[in-house]
Amino acid sequence: MSKIKLMSHLVAGYPTEELSFAAASAMVRGGASILEIQLAFSDPSADGPAIQGACTEVLSHNYKVKDGLAFIERVHKAFPEVSIYIMSYGSLIYTPGVDNFCKRASEAGVTGMIIPDLPFDHDEGLAAACKKYGMDNIPVASPSMSEERLSKLAHAGFKYIYAALRVGITGTQTVIDQATLDFLSKVGAGGSKVYGGFGISNGEQSKAISSSVDAVIAGSVFVRIIKENASDKEALSKAVEAKARELCGL
């Protein structure tokens, strides 16, 4: 079986700048093709307890957006071949100005933006700003969408769509069944490449959706591993790399 393309998620600055960079490095060594780097936000709507806790801890260190962008730039310089997507929420993008934020993100090495609370058809100019600065706006599709709205998104001309595999928050167990595969098929019906995630934590799940997506997304599983090994950089690196390899089917 060929390698599964993996998008792995981490929170910039969690639990520290150095450990966060060690985790990113381990993800790349483990085969991740895309790093989804989250900028911590105080009131996330889609994140489960693991990622919420990470964000809270980062914010308690007075970690700012500029710090997150500097971290992203460091990762980009270390691994220029790896795509980096920012994941965050609308107010962080809107407050400094969407155009200004996208310019700064692009300069840091970001190639895509995932902002789940900005709907694809009311995005405050995010798609236009991304296009201006050579990035992709990656909207989020949810199983809770009506058939009509999901079809509208699928045929809206986006290069990539992030498919949340179930309703709710990240980090709890996701069962891959025929309804999941049918949903992924609908998301990709307009020709967009589909990224699939929400609750993916092991190689079996990754393999189950791999033929239906361009990349498998894994987030909370990595955040939990980072937390469990926060006192030992070497153990953290080994555990993160091993999980990435498992999810890539290596």
Side-chain angles (χ1 to χ4, degrees):
M1 180 181 171
S2 60
K3 176 192 166 191
I4 296 168
K5 189 174 179 181
L6 173 66
M7 182 198 301
S8 57
H9 178 107
L10 68 156
V11 178
Y14 177 75
T16 67
E17 183 88 4
E18 285 308 310
L19 289 174
S20 190
F21 186 78
S25 303
M27 289 170 179
V28 175
R29 288 196 306 274
S33 304
I34 305 165
L35 295 178
E36 180 189 22
I37 300 181
Q38 180 160 350
L39 299 181
F41 183 58
S42 57
D43 298 294
S45 58
D47 299 322
I51 295 176
Q52 280 192 11
C55 287
T56 299
E57 184 168 333
V58 168
L59 293 172
S60 76
H61 300 157
N62 202 32
Y63 201 81
K64 305 292 188 185
V65 168
K66 65 179 176 61
D67 301 315
L69 291 175
F71 173 77
I72 287 170
E73 186 171 5
R74 178 185 177 190
V75 174
H76 173 62
K77 286 179 176 177
F79 308 106
E81 74 285 2
V82 174
S83 297
I84 297 177
Y85 297 160
I86 279 180
M87 185 269 157
S88 198
Y89 291 90
S91 70
L92 285 189
I93 314 305
Y94 188 78
T95 300
V98 174
D99 187 271
N100 177 46
F101 185 94
C102 287
K103 180 176 186 292
R104 291 164 64 197
S106 175
E107 289 168 351
V110 173
T111 54
M113 302 279 286
I114 302 168
I115 313 296
D117 59 346
L118 287 182
F120 73 95
D121 47 358
H122 294 90
D123 69 1
E124 304 292 347
L126 179 62
C130 283
K131 184 176 181 181
K132 179 179 176 180
Y133 296 109
M135 301 185 297
D136 290 301
N137 177 31
I138 303 165
V140 177
S142 167
S144 64
M145 283 180 163
S146 67
E147 294 285 338
E148 181 182 4
R149 184 162 177 75
L150 183 58
S151 179
K152 183 181 178 184
L153 170 56
H155 293 88
F158 289 98
K159 184 175 180 180
Y160 304 104
I161 298 175
Y162 183 125
L165 298 180
R166 55 175 170 70
V167 177
I169 56 174
T170 62
T172 52
Q173 188 72 9
T174 294
V175 177
I176 309 300
D177 56 16
Q178 190 57 48
T180 307
L181 302 179
D182 290 346
F183 169 66
L184 290 169
S185 179
K186 292 172 185 176
V187 175
S192 300
K193 293 182 178 180
V194 179
Y195 298 140
F198 254 53
I200 299 297
S201 62
N202 59 58
E204 186 178 340
Q205 292 170 307
S206 183
K207 184 178 179 181
I209 66 166
S210 61
S211 61
S212 300
V213 299
D214 186 64
V216 173
I217 308 163
S220 294
V221 62
F222 283 113
V223 176
R224 286 193 290 267
I225 290 171
I226 292 166
K227 180 179 181 179
E228 289 164 4
N229 294 278
S231 62
D232 187 334
K233 181 179 177 181
E234 185 177 347
L236 183 154
S237 296
K238 285 183 177 179
V240 168
E241 181 178 349
K243 179 54 69 172
R245 291 181 66 83
E246 177 192 343
L247 291 165
C248 288
L250 296 175

